[in-house]
Amino acid sequence: PPAKGFNELGVMAFGEKRYELALENFGKALELEANNPSIRRNLCAVHQAMANDLAVAGKLPEALARVNLGLEVDPENVSALAQAGAYRLKQGDLTVATTQLEQAVALDGANKEARFLLGEAYYQQNKLTEARAQWEEVLELDAAWPGLQEKLDKLSRENSVEAGFTSYDSGHFQLR
């Protein structure tokens, strides 16, 4: 069948969670129409689903490798960038996580998950102003984001304590 037929077979297999068959069909479709963005998105989605299953099974390195395969096919896939960023965050690779999440947000500023995760990456790097900015954007997009107001409240408390230490510490020095 033409690319459209292989793509449809891939979609059916994906819906049945027959990921290997979906990969095979989307791969054949992509060989016939290498620049088709729909086929690229579909193939990336299969890699993402497989990565999710691996992550749930506690196989984070394998999950990251799998989602990276999806990004090779569709490098500007915001969902895959956010997923890879989340895995990097869990591994403690804050630099790469931040880069991937910043790229995701640059491609789609309304992506709440990418913004939330970018805020988390900034928070873990003690970039509190940047973390607050990302999390406030998420609240503007979704006021009911679970647990986010509590994170912002905690961040405010931490900023207050930090400001107190700074003013207290500076009171011990005399400048002449």
Side-chain angles (χ1 to χ4, degrees), residues 1-13 21-22 24-30 32-33 36 39 42:
K4 182 179 179 183
F6 282 120
N7 189 56
E8 289 173 2
L9 289 171
V11 169
M12 288 189 330
L21 182 59
E24 181 182 327
N25 282 300
F26 288 137
K28 288 177 182 176
L30 193 61
L32 296 169
E33 287 187 33
N36 185 314
I39 295 170
N42 289 342

Side-chain angles (χ1 to χ4, degrees), residues 68-111:
N68 283 337
L69 288 173
L71 285 168
E72 287 177 18
V73 174
D74 191 6
E76 293 189 348
N77 186 303
V78 173
S79 175
L81 284 165
Q83 186 176 12
Y87 295 160
R88 293 281 188 184
L89 205 55
K90 281 186 178 184
Q91 289 182 323
D93 188 351
L94 299 178
T95 303
V96 176
T98 300
T99 300
Q100 288 180 310
L101 294 166
E102 285 174 342
Q103 185 181 0
V105 168
L107 290 167
D108 180 5
N111 188 295

Side-chain angles (χ1 to χ4, degrees), residues 89-90 92 94 119-128 131 135:
L89 205 55
K90 281 186 178 184
L94 299 178
E120 189 63 35
Y122 286 146
Y123 180 80
Q124 289 184 26
Q125 295 172 74
N126 206 32
K127 296 179 179 178
L128 304 183
W135 289 341

